[in-house]
Amino acid sequence: LLVVSVVVVQTTRSQIPEQFTRTQNLIQGEDTSWQLRLILWQTAALGAFDQPLTGLGTRGFGHVLWHYLTPEQRDAVASMKLPAEATDIRYMGGSFFRYQMPEQEEVIFNSVLIDKAHNYILDFMIANGWLATLLFATALVSGVIVLSTASLDTQAIALGISVYLLFGLTWFATLQVDPIIWGLFGIGIGSALHTSSDASKPIGDTTTREIKT
């Protein structure tokens, strides 16, 4: 557990200053990320009904986003993702916009690529469908309960998983952290089940072996 904790700290350490800066900007009203997240969550909730059984795959949200955005939401996304100096912005379809920059005559065509809803559950639901999401949520809740009722170590893992899920309400899965989190989750479940099986054995129960001489 100590080794895993060190790896997690080293992986996320570089993101801490950025989070402090974003929090400060949010308090000062200079961070528009929450406005963007609200728009993404609204369109993701609509897109989750497109293929409720099978889902749309890992890049599915990028396909449904521009389909469900209203013109007002589309303009808001463009103003947040395109350069602030851009003028004469026009939507061209899909994720493409055309615009011009000051002191430049040529017209610029640019694609605004957003393939994550910034919500772990919504991203999972769009990618894999409702049934897979229900099974995932059931296994996750059951696993956290098992971890919470075992040893102190597994309770710490349950707390860490819960904090990560709370973080996931406003973020998405990352290759840097996800394998560590779910690997730790599996190790914790195995440890909890082993502890439970040991506790269920009667005190003094031993297995005798016959030694042939």
Side-chain angles (χ1 to χ4, degrees):
L1 292 179
L2 179 60
V3 174
V4 173
S5 300
V6 171
V7 173
V8 172
V9 171
Q10 292 296 327
T11 304
T12 58
R13 183 176 59 180
S14 61
Q15 301 177 8
I16 295 176
E18 179 184 355
Q19 294 302 322
F20 274 115
T21 301
R22 292 188 63 181
T23 301
Q24 182 179 5
N25 292 339
L26 179 63
I27 294 174
Q28 296 175 351
E30 300 175 0
D31 189 350
T32 59
S33 61
W34 278 105
Q35 180 184 357
L36 177 60
R37 279 176 169 79
L38 290 175
I39 294 175
L40 298 182
W41 294 343
Q42 291 174 11
T43 55
L46 296 173
F49 289 93
D50 274 14
Q51 293 290 340
L53 293 180
T54 61
L56 297 170
T58 55
R59 300 286 182 177
F61 180 70
H63 297 292
V64 303
L65 172 63
W66 300 101
H67 177 71
Y68 287 107
L69 284 177
T70 65
E72 293 77 14
Q73 290 175 330
R74 189 178 62 217
D75 293 341
V77 171
S79 66
M80 287 182 278
K81 303 299 289 186
L82 293 178
E85 300 82 8
T87 60
D88 192 23
I89 300 174
R90 298 183 184 181
Y91 179 61
M92 305 301 294
S95 61
F96 286 91
F97 290 83
R98 56 159 290 182
Y99 58 92
Q100 288 184 289
M101 297 293 290
E103 301 179 358
Q104 293 184 9
E105 295 183 359
E106 65 271 14
V107 176
I108 301 174
F109 291 86
N110 199 358
S111 176
V112 178
L113 297 178
I114 303 176
D115 59 1
K116 298 293 183 182
H118 285 68
N119 181 286
Y120 203 106
I121 297 300
L122 286 174
D123 280 327
F124 191 95
M125 185 180 297
I126 290 178
N128 303 287
W130 288 50
L131 179 60
T133 304
L134 179 61
L135 293 175
F136 172 72
T138 302
L140 186 58
V141 172
S142 301
V144 170
I145 292 175
V146 170
L147 292 173
S148 301
T149 56
S151 65
L152 185 61
D153 289 339
T154 59
Q155 290 173 8
I157 295 176
L159 178 61
I161 295 294
S162 300
V163 171
Y164 182 67
L165 292 176
L166 288 175
F167 176 76
L169 293 177
T170 59
W171 205 244
F172 49 84
T174 59
L175 291 177
Q176 294 91 342
V177 179
D178 248 38
I180 298 174
I181 293 296
W182 299 123
L184 185 60
F185 183 69
I187 293 172
I189 293 295
S191 177
L193 295 177
H194 180 70
T195 302
S196 177
S197 63
D198 286 346
S200 64
K201 292 181 180 179
I203 299 177
D205 181 22
T206 58
T207 303
T208 59
R209 296 181 181 178
E210 181 180 354
I211 303 177
K212 295 182 179 181
T213 58

